Amino acid sequence: MRILVIGGGAREHALCHALSQDPDVTELHCAPGNAGTAEVAEPHPVDAVNGPEVAELAARLGADLVVVGPEAPLVAGVADAVRAAGIPVFGPSAQAARLEGSKAFAKEIMAAAGVPTARAHVCTTPGEADAALDAFGPPYVVKDDGLAAGKGVVVTEDLAHARAHARSCERVVIEEFLDGPEVSLFAVTDGETVVPLQPAQDFKRARDGDEGPNTGGMGAYSPLPWADPKLTDEVLDTVLRPTVDELRRRGTPFSGLLYAGLALTSRGVRVVEFNARFGDPETQAVLARLLTPPAGLLHAAATGTLGSFPPLRWSDGAAVTVVVAAEGYPEAPRTGDPVEGLDEIAAEDAPGAYVLHAGTRRDEAGRVVSAGGRVLSLTATGPDLAQARALAYRAVARVRLAGSHHRTDIAAQAASAVPSSPQSPSIE
């Protein structure tokens, strides 16, 4: 199977890393990719949000499957262009990707499907926003209706801050605050059959103890030892299948990766948000535990044959991902700094830890340099969370990047085996 992965972040490196180990994959390409994907997949320059350009590249490569990683190409209709060229593609249509592209549309779908979520108001004027803020009270949850790279949400006790964010958005969703820990649950679907993956938890705030601004994600881990073993089945029945069924009923079937961001509240499971693609950094931890070769799974979803695909197999161990971010991230990340220590991690005697590149490139001298806010995802596996976490942080300690920062508490509470006190990252 010849596979083309679209995107250039750590999520795409994680996909390429997993696909490169699949014996069914004979050629692996990534466009545009980064310094890390280039080690396992042939890179190609491409405008990732230009559907005809992506489709032309896929046809020229003779791709048997195109995997679209980021949200922006999906919302722009890249998957539609590839499908129109007769090439199987893992990723929803632009119409179905509105589930992520518009939070107001997602609320509409959830209401129609009976999916539990926070009460919300969609606001287009300052007056409407002020009324909604007053109605819900603090903590205030203010969400930009469109794509914002994981940073379009403000959760604050400060009314002035909430109002300022609402006014900066053309259209805004203001909703009630959901208490309880958050969970990310991915599901692969062909528009009819829905196959859930293992749950994970990510960490949105930039600093330890859930301090600092929201980011695209500073780390993740899987599994969740504190979660109810029946959680996945419950979410499949009450969230994932009803959502897929409603989209199919509307004539816009969702084929690809459906990501449910969940809050485990005192009143039960509630959907915080939907995404239309693999999440970053949860993908890094989840794929590290998947034993089933991924190419066949993604191809089955792309070709409508998921119903006959064998049950997924998972490692009994754990995986932890820690993000190393550039100085100034998320407000104004500095780029162009050399990233050192990567060869030392690769040469580490202890198995289980590896580097996934996010915002990196090679400069004229061939050095790996920073090229984005989140620069690396250090991922490690182990028999349990404590050991996976120790390996991940040992790898983090080898990274040398001027001014970089990372959280030191990823999976700390879960690894300490205190089921009643899971980490509760703030709402994205």
Side-chain angles (χ1 to χ4, degrees), residues 178-361:
L178 297 175
D179 64 330
E182 289 189 35
V183 172
S184 300
L185 186 60
F186 302 160
V188 173
T189 178
D190 59 7
E192 291 196 12
T193 301
V194 182
V195 177
L197 305 187
Q198 290 286 301
Q201 188 173 67
D202 77 333
F203 295 70
K204 288 295 179 196
R205 298 287 188 176
R207 308 293 178 183
D208 287 1
D210 292 324
E211 298 292 334
N214 267 357
T215 72
M218 294 298 292
Y221 68 94
S222 179
L224 313 181
W226 48 268
D228 188 331
K230 298 178 182 178
L231 175 64
T232 298
D233 289 340
E234 179 186 351
V235 174
L236 180 63
D237 290 339
T238 63
V239 174
L240 299 171
R241 281 196 184 120
T243 300
V244 170
D245 289 347
E246 175 62 20
L247 286 166
R248 186 176 66 251
R249 186 189 69 78
R250 292 179 176 224
T252 55
F254 188 106
S255 171
L257 195 289
L258 178 58
Y259 166 136
L262 309 164
L264 309 187
T265 78
S266 55
R267 295 172 293 150
V269 175
R270 296 290 186 272
V271 174
V272 175
E273 65 172 354
F274 282 125
N275 289 335
R277 40 69 191 181
F278 280 104
D280 182 349
E282 301 99 316
T283 299
Q284 291 87 298
V286 172
L287 288 185
R289 299 185 54 230
L290 179 64
L291 297 180
T292 297
L297 172 66
L298 304 186
H299 190 266
T303 56
T305 59
L306 196 57
S308 60
F309 196 79
L312 301 185
R313 296 180 295 111
W314 295 93
S315 162
D316 291 331
V320 173
T321 290
V322 181
V323 171
V324 174
E327 181 176 348
Y329 179 77
E331 294 91 348
R334 192 176 75 190
T335 60
D337 292 313
V339 183
E340 300 177 318
L342 306 184
D343 291 342
E344 297 170 26
I345 298 169
E348 176 65 55
D349 290 337
Y354 51 93
V355 178
L356 295 171
H357 291 239
T360 67
R361 63 176 177 84

Side-chain angles (χ1 to χ4, degrees), residues 98-100 102-111 273-274:
R98 290 179 64 207
L99 202 61
E100 176 170 5
S102 169
K103 292 177 176 62
F105 176 73
K107 289 291 186 182
E108 176 188 325
I109 293 295
M110 284 187 272
E273 65 172 354
F274 282 125

Side-chain angles (χ1 to χ4, degrees), residues 155-166:
V155 182
T156 180
E157 298 274 353
D158 185 340
L159 179 58
H161 186 197
R163 281 177 171 159
H165 185 61

